[in-house]
Amino acid sequence: MKRILGTVLACAALAACSEPAPSPSQATTPRADPSTAAVVTDCGTFDLPQGEDLPDSAARCLVEAVRAGHPAQLKVTRPTVEGDPIPVSYAAGADGRVEVITDSRQDGFGAQVVTRQTCTGPTAAPELRFAECSDPTS
């Protein structure tokens, strides 16, 4: 009995002194150096009701970040005619390209896919528009 108790206590002491095993996300994700990590401008998250436009300030935020070469993000959810939510996320890189991800999986009458496009030349008047975009890919 003493031998078992001694073994259990030794194992507990070793476990307490060792570092915990990394979680799967820690094991596969390199840690960013805070001094080199890019600051991402958050231009907002908007859940727009039927017929409402994106605020001018949000579109201008993304356009200005692209022009300045700063990473930025913007998230907008708009309803379909039937009221199904369609989230669209915009992720601007320091290179001036904007990745546009449209998630139509909740659209009861649509394709129900997630598409990606790379766009350039954003403008903010009257709504967020792009000079060029790649063909959507699923």
Side-chain angles (χ1 to χ4, degrees):
M1 185 67 159
K2 286 184 182 182
R3 183 179 290 173
I4 293 173
L5 182 58
T7 303
V8 169
L9 289 175
C11 288
L14 286 173
C17 294
S18 66
E19 289 187 34
S23 70
S25 64
Q26 290 173 328
T28 59
T29 305
R31 294 182 188 248
D33 179 358
S35 65
T36 61
V39 176
V40 177
T41 300
D42 185 355
C43 295
T45 299
F46 300 88
D47 191 1
L48 302 175
Q50 196 71 262
E52 188 171 312
D53 291 331
L54 181 68
D56 291 340
S57 59
R60 277 194 317 272
C61 172
L62 188 74
V63 169
E64 290 170 6
V66 168
R67 287 183 183 154
H70 297 291
Q73 67 180 10
L74 172 64
K75 296 178 182 177
V76 181
T77 300
R78 296 177 192 266
T80 63
V81 172
E82 298 83 17
D84 298 328
I86 306 296
V88 179
S89 65
Y90 302 89
D95 61 0
R97 294 185 295 171
V98 180
E99 181 180 44
V100 181
I101 300 174
T102 304
D103 184 349
S104 65
R105 291 178 291 183
Q106 297 180 62
D107 185 353
F109 296 95
Q112 299 178 344
V113 296
V114 176
T115 60
R116 290 178 174 8
Q117 290 179 279
T118 301
C119 301
T120 57
T123 57
E127 271 280 318
L128 186 58
R129 303 272 186 248
F130 296 94
E132 290 186 44
C133 288
S134 65
D135 289 332
T137 59
S138 301

